[in-house]
Amino acid sequence: MAQPLVKKDDDHDDELEDSPFLGIEKGAVLQEARVFNDPHLDPRRCSQVITKLLYLLNQGESFTKVEATEVFFSVTKLFQSKDTGLRRMVYLIIKELSPSSDEVIIVTSSLMKDMNSKIDMYRANAIRVLCRIIDGTLLTQIERYLKQAIVDKNPVISSAALVSGLHMLKTNPEIVKRWSNEVQEAVQSRAALVQFHALALLHQIRQNDRLAVSKLVGTLTRGAVRSPLAQCLLIRYTSQIIRDMGNQGQSGERPFYDFLESCLRHKAEMVILEAARAITELDGVTSRELTPAITVLQLFLSSPKPVLRFAAVRTLNKVAMTHPMAVTNCNIDMESLISDQNRSIATLAITTLLKTGNESSVERLMKQITNFMSDIADEFKIVVVEAIRSLCLKFPLKYRSLMNFLSNILREEGGFEYKRAIVDSIVTIIRDIPDAKENGLLHLCEFIEDCEFTYLSTQILHFLGIEGPNTSDPSKYIRYIYNRVHLENATVRAAAVCTLAKFGFMVEALKPRITVLLKRCIYDSDDEVRDRATLYLSILGSDGLDTDKDSREFLFGSLEAPLVNMETSLKNYEPSEEAFDVDSVPKEVKSQPLAEKKAKGKKPTGLGAPPPAPVSGFDAYERLLSSIPEFASFGKLFKSSSPVELTEAETEYAVNVVKHIYDNHVVFQYNCTNTVPEQLLERVNVVVDASEAEEFSELCSKPLNSLPYDSPGQAFVAFEKPEGVPAVGKFSNTLTFVVKEVDQNTGEAEDDGQEDEYQLEDLEVVPADYMANFGVSNFRNAWENMDPENELVDEYGLGQRDSLAEAVKAVTDVLGMQSCEGTETVANKARSHTCLLSGLYIGNVKVLVKAQFGMDSTRAIVMKLTVRAEDQSVSEAIHAVVASG
């Protein structure tokens, strides 16, 4: 009796079991490759062996030089076969093996013969393989054939030559650029793929000539392109030209915009979508200019094709971030997509509605979201969570329903990134909406009862220690915190002990209860937990410290230096009779090394490697400057700036400068690199004109004796300024040197040189240079501990800005201060924002700033600036900087 057919499960394990390549070994396949040497070739068997070899290569299997050579020579014998399928496999394996230049010669004649064959499939594939394996010298021999192939009547051959040209443009650009006439002719082809590839190659050839690209695009936008693929490419080039014109302040982009708008009426759907996307992504696009693109996207929302619905709703989702009002007309259509079978479309629809909806629609949208949250992947859930956070900040009165939704999904299953996104959203809502604090903290407490992620548990406990004591009933959180001491791992237990101690110190009524709980913790099995409990008990229960202020600073105060700097200083400390001095730890946040910023690839190592570039960072700068006798008497270095570029990229000499600030001196460190292999520079110096910096007087300079090719060196110029005064000014810089020609064969420089100079960009010393970064982990406590007598408040008009985020960044940059507690991030379309800043002013004076921003309907921004410092004059100086900036 026949057995019924059973459908196999579509399971990955079954796929592996059914794979013909499962368990194959390189050695066995190489043995099978001997079939290539048989006098009577079996095309089917040879094709199977080549397939196995290709599989091994694509799986990352490495072949030794001998193995690859043997396989290559064996494969070349297969050119004797006339089997078309086998010949295609031969082309593939030769391209993947990438033979050396010595081996290429052996197969070149066979490939050139195929390139001139009457069989079009041979010709096209031979062109692709030849262009991948030969070098520039052999390429010139077949250049004539490639030019002919570009204008061939067969589109397969023409496309093969054009695509090969795109690949060769990276290795042999000068040869490919000679094909411009043929490529220009191919752009007029009626074949869709040929026109697409020809346009891509022609644009790549001319990409460094902005005027030529503009002329090319201007010509083609007048109707010469028929291929939808090429039309999409042309749309991208057109939008890039519009952006370039806008960045350079040029006019005349209207014809290009008209072309984009005309593409919205194209018969091909891909062209319409590409044009709509391009218009919505233009900088400074107005609502009127957006309307045609929004209209066609709205039509696609009701398309029967899922790909069109997805493309349209994804584009509208992005537009809603910057122009929510322009998308509101599509809300009815998007509401119908919430029940779409494609969950990706439904997610994008609901998040777009959250960005564009009004306050009355919040409840209805939340019910619809609940129905499908369990059906989508974590990455889409994160998108929904971020949209809900933005919605809550937009409509603060709806925080209860939104917070309850976040709390419910927080208790459901999900990965770490998803849970962290929810926790971050709740924390943001608590900070920005005071009424949501107690409700939100309780939700977080309930979550840590079952939280499986140590990192999230410790972060929530830390946040509870900051916000919990300031609520109306702090005692209700103690049970949740103390439970962590018994039910969690050592890391979370230690964090819970710290949080309990903060409650005990900040809430006097809870101190006896907290003391009892901490006494139980001193018998914990973990050393860290026991030590912390003992430490906090001694602080809470004794008078060993002088004042409550000292206790508060010890327990909750932030480190005066970044943890990275503290760690480095402790590692460098050598035990001696002299105790470790915390004040010696640099307060400046270390910058990224210049060598890392400029590195484009791996540098040669060993004896052939050039000398290493100077390492930037405060410690390295301080050691370097103290080792120079001329600067050793300047005292303690206060701050070193990030490198400022004084030359453009790709110039013959690369120079940047670092500003080193002392109490009454400023040292400019000019980092110079010679990028010309044929030159050696000697007696390299920087001549500085300080005529626009009246408070500075040049003290001394330290030139660079020699600057070989690609070997960075430093020249220094020191200035004196009034002590403790934040003097500012503008400096003109000229690089002077003696240039000597270098023989490329011997590497020897000529004896005689020629004096030359190179004009550098101007350099400014600004007020921000006198402010060092100073991290504060708990801004509220640091603010309360600062003397309110030194507080100064004033309001400033900042004029019209595109967004609050732009104003926040401008003020932060002018002051040179460090943002605290993530307040540098401004919610999209926010009308008000508070930014908290901290810094260390010259003279080691701590400064804290509260900057409150507001924007009216005309986009005019007003800022209320509140400054507290350890010195009244510094508070006045900060206000003076803002008033003048």
Side-chain angles (χ1 to χ4, degrees):
M1 184 176 177
Q3 295 293 325
L5 290 174
V6 179
K7 183 179 178 181
K8 295 183 67 175
D9 291 335
D10 186 16
D11 189 77
H12 183 64
D13 294 337
D14 291 337
E15 290 178 6
L16 286 178
E17 290 174 5
D18 296 337
S19 171
F21 305 111
L22 184 64
I24 65 171
E25 297 180 358
K26 183 178 72 171
V29 177
L30 292 175
Q31 288 290 333
E32 290 184 63
R34 295 181 179 180
V35 72
F36 301 156
N37 299 317
D38 290 350
H40 301 290
L41 292 173
D42 181 351
R44 186 171 180 274
R45 179 73 190 285
C46 291
S47 294
Q48 290 175 345
V49 176
I50 292 177
T51 303
K52 291 181 181 179
L53 288 167
L54 289 169
Y55 174 79
L56 290 172
L57 287 168
N58 281 283
Q59 291 298 310
E61 189 73 53
S62 59
F63 284 40
T64 65
K65 178 68 175 174
V66 175
E67 290 169 345
T69 303
E70 288 181 356
V71 172
F72 174 74
F73 279 112
S74 300
V75 167
T76 57
K77 297 177 181 179
L78 300 181
F79 277 101
Q80 301 170 21
S81 174
K82 302 299 181 183
D83 186 87
T84 305
L86 178 59
R87 183 65 60 88
R88 296 180 70 179
M89 299 300 292
V90 170
Y91 293 136
L92 282 174
I93 192 66
I94 290 175
K95 188 173 69 171
E96 291 297 325
L97 286 172
S98 300
S100 62
S101 57
D102 296 336
E103 298 166 348
V104 165
I105 299 172
I106 299 168
V107 78
T108 300
S109 58
S110 298
L111 290 172
M112 290 183 69
K113 180 180 177 182
D114 284 355
M115 197 167 66
N116 294 288
S117 170
K118 293 181 180 180
I119 303 175
D120 290 338
M121 190 275 290
Y122 285 5
R123 293 176 62 193
N125 284 313
I127 290 171
R128 290 178 182 272
V129 177
L130 265 175
C131 293
R132 287 292 294 272
I133 66 175
I134 63 176
D135 56 16
T137 55
L138 290 174
L139 186 59
T140 54
Q141 299 178 22
I142 64 169
E143 184 180 3
R144 179 169 58 89
Y145 299 107
L146 292 173
K147 285 184 177 181
Q148 292 173 358
I150 288 174
V151 294
D152 195 278
K153 294 181 180 179
N154 189 315
V156 176
I157 296 170
S158 182
S159 276
L162 290 165
V163 172
S164 299
L166 283 167
H167 289 301
M168 290 187 295
L169 200 61
K170 302 172 185 176
T171 55
N172 298 283
E174 297 304 321
I175 294 176
V176 179
K177 288 178 181 178
R178 297 202 292 257
W179 306 350
S180 291
N181 292 335
E182 287 77 14
V183 178
Q184 184 78 51
E185 186 177 340
V187 171
Q188 310 302 322
S189 172
R190 291 182 175 273
L193 274 179
V194 173
Q195 194 172 50
F196 170 64
H197 291 141
L199 177 57
L201 180 56
L202 192 60
H203 180 268
Q204 287 291 312
I205 291 173
R206 299 182 179 180
Q207 65 178 343
N208 294 324
D209 187 344
R210 194 169 292 170
L211 181 60
V213 171
S214 182
K215 287 182 178 178
L216 169 66
V217 173
T219 302
L220 295 176
T221 53
R222 289 192 282 270
V225 176
R226 302 181 187 87
S227 163
L229 285 170
Q231 191 85 350
C232 289
L233 207 56
L234 187 59
I235 288 170
R236 295 186 181 187
Y237 298 154
T238 303
S239 58
Q240 183 59 50
I241 288 175
I242 295 175
R243 276 193 289 271
D244 291 343
M245 284 183 166
N247 293 337
Q248 297 174 8
Q250 298 177 351
S251 57
E253 72 274 8
R254 191 67 209 180
F256 293 107
Y257 176 80
D258 291 340
F259 165 72
L260 294 180
E261 190 172 340
S262 69
C263 290
L264 296 174
R265 298 182 290 274
H266 200 277
K267 60 182 179 180
E269 292 166 339
M270 71 167 74
V271 175
I272 297 173
L273 279 170
E274 188 68 34
R277 185 184 64 83
I279 290 174
T280 59
E281 291 180 354
L282 290 176
D283 297 330
V285 63
T286 64
S287 298
R288 186 184 65 81
E289 293 169 335
L290 274 176
T291 302
I294 300 295
T295 302
V296 297
L297 291 172
Q298 185 176 5
L299 294 174
F300 282 142
L301 290 176
S302 56
S303 170
K305 300 178 181 178
V307 67
L308 291 180
R309 298 199 303 274
F310 177 78
V313 73
R314 185 175 67 168
T315 305
L316 289 171
N317 185 274
K318 293 180 180 177
V319 177
M321 296 179 185
T322 53
H323 298 83
M325 296 305 297
V327 186
T328 52
N329 292 335
C330 307
N331 282 3
I332 296 175
D333 298 273
M334 276 188 287
E335 285 194 22
S336 64
L337 294 180
I338 296 176
S339 57
D340 196 283
Q341 292 181 348
N342 188 310
R343 296 288 85 184
S344 301
I345 295 174
T347 304
L348 288 169
I350 196 72
T351 52
T352 307
L353 287 168
L354 289 173
K355 295 171 185 173
T356 60
N358 52 37
E359 194 165 2
S360 61
S361 65
V362 170
E363 304 288 349
R364 176 169 48 82
L365 290 175
M366 297 310 298
K367 291 179 181 178
Q368 291 174 305
I369 293 174
T370 307
N371 295 332
F372 75 90
M373 279 295 284
S374 59
D375 298 332
I376 59 177
D378 278 6
E379 58 181 314
F380 289 112
K381 290 179 182 178
I382 293 173
V383 175
V384 174
V385 169
E386 291 173 349
I388 290 172
R389 176 174 60 192
S390 301
L391 188 69
C392 193
L393 299 178
K394 183 179 179 182
F395 303 121
L397 296 178
K398 294 292 182 181
Y399 79 86
R400 289 188 182 276
S401 58
L402 296 174
M403 185 76 82
N404 288 336
F405 174 81
L406 291 174
S407 174
N408 290 334
I409 61 175
L410 187 59
R411 290 192 289 269
E412 296 174 359
E413 292 186 3
F416 171 73
E417 293 297 335
Y418 172 47
K419 292 298 180 73
R420 184 166 71 170
I422 301 172
V423 171
D424 288 346
S425 297
I426 293 176
V427 168
T428 301
I429 293 170
I430 291 172
R431 282 177 172 166
D432 289 11
I433 306 175
D435 293 341
K437 178 184 288 187
E438 298 202 12
N439 191 20
L441 289 177
L442 276 177
H443 287 317
L444 292 177
C445 287
E446 291 169 358
F447 169 62
I448 59 173
E449 293 277 273
D450 302 309
C451 181
E452 57 184 309
F453 303 109
T454 298
Y455 174 82
L456 289 181
S457 295
T458 55
Q459 292 301 304
I460 291 172
L461 287 167
H462 173 70
F463 184 67
L464 272 172
I466 297 173
E467 299 291 341
N470 299 310
T471 57
S472 59
D473 184 12
S475 62
K476 61 185 175 184
Y477 307 111
I478 301 301
R479 175 175 62 86
Y480 297 100
I481 300 169
Y482 185 64
N483 284 346
R484 300 306 95 214
V485 176
H486 293 291
L487 304 175
E488 289 287 357
N489 57 48
T491 304
V492 178
R493 297 203 304 272
V497 166
C498 292
T499 304
L500 284 173
K502 291 178 182 179
F503 273 79
F505 190 86
M506 298 181 71
V507 183
E508 188 66 30
L510 291 176
K511 184 180 289 188
R513 181 182 174 188
I514 298 297
T515 302
V516 172
L517 296 178
L518 288 178
K519 284 181 179 179
R520 297 176 186 173
C521 298
I522 62 177
Y523 302 106
D524 193 274
S525 59
D526 184 75
D527 293 342
E528 178 75 15
V529 178
R530 291 198 305 271
D531 291 348
R532 290 193 185 195
T534 305
L535 172 66
Y536 293 134
L537 276 172
S538 66
I539 295 174
L540 290 172
S542 70
D543 298 326
L545 296 175
D546 295 335
T547 63
D548 279 354
K549 181 178 179 181
D550 292 334
S551 300
R552 182 186 295 270
E553 184 67 26
F554 181 80
L555 191 56
F556 310 116
S558 60
L559 288 172
E560 294 186 356
L563 281 175
V564 177
N565 294 8
M566 179 70 76
E567 181 183 5
T568 303
S569 298
L570 287 169
K571 286 180 178 178
N572 294 336
Y573 171 68
E574 296 181 0
S576 63
E577 294 182 0
E578 185 178 350
F580 176 77
D581 184 8
V582 177
D583 293 333
S584 66
V585 180
K587 309 297 188 296
E588 175 71 12
V589 176
K590 289 188 176 182
S591 60
Q592 183 184 9
L594 180 63
E596 290 178 15
K597 290 182 180 179
K598 292 210 163 190
K600 300 259 177 122
K602 291 185 178 179
K603 293 285 185 181
T605 56
L607 295 175
V615 178
S616 63
F618 191 88
D619 288 343
Y621 287 140
E622 193 168 34
R623 287 194 298 270
L624 175 64
L625 294 169
S626 61
S627 66
I628 300 174
E630 292 88 340
F631 311 144
S633 60
F634 287 179
K636 187 172 179 59
L637 178 63
F638 172 71
K639 176 184 177 179
S640 295
S641 73
S642 299
V644 179
E645 298 295 336
L646 298 183
T647 56
E648 295 181 358
E650 307 301 329
T651 55
E652 50 199 334
Y653 310 118
V655 181
N656 64 57
V657 63
V658 177
K659 296 173 278 188
H660 301 294
I661 309 297
Y662 293 84
D663 278 344
N664 59 339
H665 296 89
V666 173
V667 177
F668 296 146
Q669 174 185 326
Y670 296 91
N671 299 313
C672 310
T673 304
N674 172 18
T675 63
V676 183
E678 299 83 8
Q679 291 183 358
L680 169 68
L681 306 185
E682 293 184 347
R683 300 204 301 275
V684 181
N685 196 16
V686 179
V687 178
V688 183
D689 179 5
S691 57
E692 296 184 59
E694 298 177 353
E695 293 184 271
F696 295 84
S697 58
E698 185 170 338
L699 200 62
C700 61
S701 63
K702 192 177 188 317
L704 180 62
N705 294 328
S706 176
L707 189 63
Y709 165 66
D710 201 26
S711 179
Q714 305 86 44
F716 298 87
V717 180
F719 284 85
E720 190 173 19
K721 69 175 187 65
E723 184 173 359
V725 175
V728 297
K730 186 176 182 180
F731 302 81
S732 300
N733 306 280
T734 305
L735 186 70
T736 64
F737 50 85
V738 174
V739 60
K740 294 183 178 181
E741 296 296 325
V742 176
D743 189 325
Q744 292 296 290
N745 296 322
T746 63
E748 297 293 331
E750 296 180 355
D751 294 334
D752 297 328
Q754 183 177 359
E755 292 188 358
D756 201 353
E757 64 180 36
Y758 189 83
Q759 188 63 44
L760 305 176
E761 298 288 340
D762 290 344
L763 168 68
E764 286 189 88
V765 174
V766 295
D769 290 324
Y770 297 97
M771 182 74 71
N773 287 343
F774 172 69
V776 174
S777 60
N778 190 329
F779 188 89
R780 178 181 296 174
N781 285 338
W783 181 267
E784 291 173 356
N785 290 334
M786 195 77 74
D787 190 353
E789 293 295 325
N790 296 334
E791 179 180 304
L792 284 181
V793 184
D794 205 345
E795 292 186 358
Y796 302 91
L798 303 183
Q800 291 185 327
R801 304 268 180 167
D802 291 337
S803 65
L804 278 181
E806 181 185 336
V808 170
K809 185 178 185 305
V811 172
T812 305
D813 291 344
V814 166
L815 295 177
M817 301 182 73
Q818 179 175 340
S819 59
C820 302
E821 301 180 0
T823 55
E824 74 277 9
T825 304
V826 183
N828 288 335
K829 298 300 178 182
R831 291 290 180 180
S832 62
H833 182 74
T834 299
C835 184
L836 309 177
L837 304 172
S838 64
L840 195 68
Y841 198 67
I842 188 167
N844 293 323
V845 180
K846 295 177 186 176
V847 188
L848 298 176
V849 168
K850 286 184 181 179
Q852 296 169 286
F853 299 85
M855 176 189 286
D856 62 17
S857 57
T858 64
R859 293 188 175 273
I861 295 178
V862 176
M863 177 183 68
K864 180 181 178 182
L865 192 72
T866 308
V867 182
R868 284 190 182 183
E870 293 178 329
D871 189 317
Q872 176 81 15
S873 62
V874 173
S875 298
E876 296 171 355
I878 298 300
H879 278 281
V881 169
V882 175
S884 62

